[in-house]
Amino acid sequence: ENARVFAQMVSRACSCLPNDEKLFICTGGGPGIMEAANRGAQEAGAPSVALNIALPHEQHPNPYVTPDLSFKFHYFALRKMHFMMRARALVAFPGGFGTLDELFETLTLIQCKKAKPVPVVLFGSEYWKRVLNLSVLVEEGVISPEDLDLFQFIDDVDEAWHFIQGFYKP
């Protein structure tokens, strides 16, 4: 429900912006939270993008993706490259290995200055703080303390949207 409401909020807020300032919802196009986000955009009257991946168990784009904006990739690396070339923010809702892969790829590229900085939201702090204990990486000396500032734990859709907006305010 939070992913659907967040996508609605972003889509509505961006509907009257100039094209170069609009943000669009982009997911992997699958079921669950991805479907909820695409549904939220559709309910707000906005298009949404799917960067789907060919998997051994066939995954089809969910019914809320804008058909002309549904793309299927064979390789995860190319899919992530296309995502990072266009991403203006990453909001990671609770997920599994694929979500972790995309999250860590994004954080690594930002940390190493191989991608432009974008706001990174880990939505659902109770989940993420159980799954990730990144302070251990600081304690072990494998990341810098300031690397923990590359992302924000957030539990509220309004707060997530304000965080992203604040990132881009001069």
Side-chain angles (χ1 to χ4, degrees), residues 84 104-116:
M84 283 305 300
F104 282 117
E105 176 94 8
T106 301
L107 291 174
T108 301
L109 291 172
I110 294 169
Q111 177 202 42
C112 296
K113 302 194 182 344
K114 295 293 184 181
K116 65 187 179 302

Side-chain angles (χ1 to χ4, degrees), residues 33-149:
I33 291 174
M34 294 177 283
E35 182 172 319
N38 292 119
R39 178 180 172 189
Q42 185 187 72
E43 290 172 348
S48 68
V49 180
L51 301 180
N52 212 304
I53 189 80
L55 296 172
H57 53 284
E58 196 61 32
Q59 176 176 295
H60 300 285
N62 68 66
Y64 301 102
V65 172
T66 303
D68 291 346
L69 299 175
S70 181
F71 305 94
K72 189 168 196 168
F73 292 87
H74 183 73
Y75 297 106
F76 280 101
L78 285 174
R79 177 179 179 244
K80 288 186 292 187
M81 181 194 75
H82 278 276
F83 170 74
M84 283 305 300
M85 287 172 51
R86 294 162 178 84
R88 300 276 312 273
L90 170 64
V91 180
F93 283 82
F97 288 146
T99 301
L100 290 169
D101 177 50
E102 292 160 2
L103 171 64
F104 282 117
E105 176 94 8
T106 301
L107 291 174
T108 301
L109 291 172
I110 294 169
Q111 177 202 42
C112 296
K113 302 194 182 344
K114 295 293 184 181
K116 65 187 179 302
V118 298
V120 177
V121 172
L122 300 181
F123 195 93
S125 62
E126 183 180 325
Y127 175 84
W128 287 112
K129 287 179 180 179
R130 283 188 6 244
V131 171
L132 305 174
N133 183 3
L134 299 180
S135 60
V136 170
L137 299 178
V138 174
E139 292 167 14
E140 294 293 326
V142 295
I143 66 170
S144 300
E146 59 269 14
D147 290 334
L148 297 178
D149 296 332

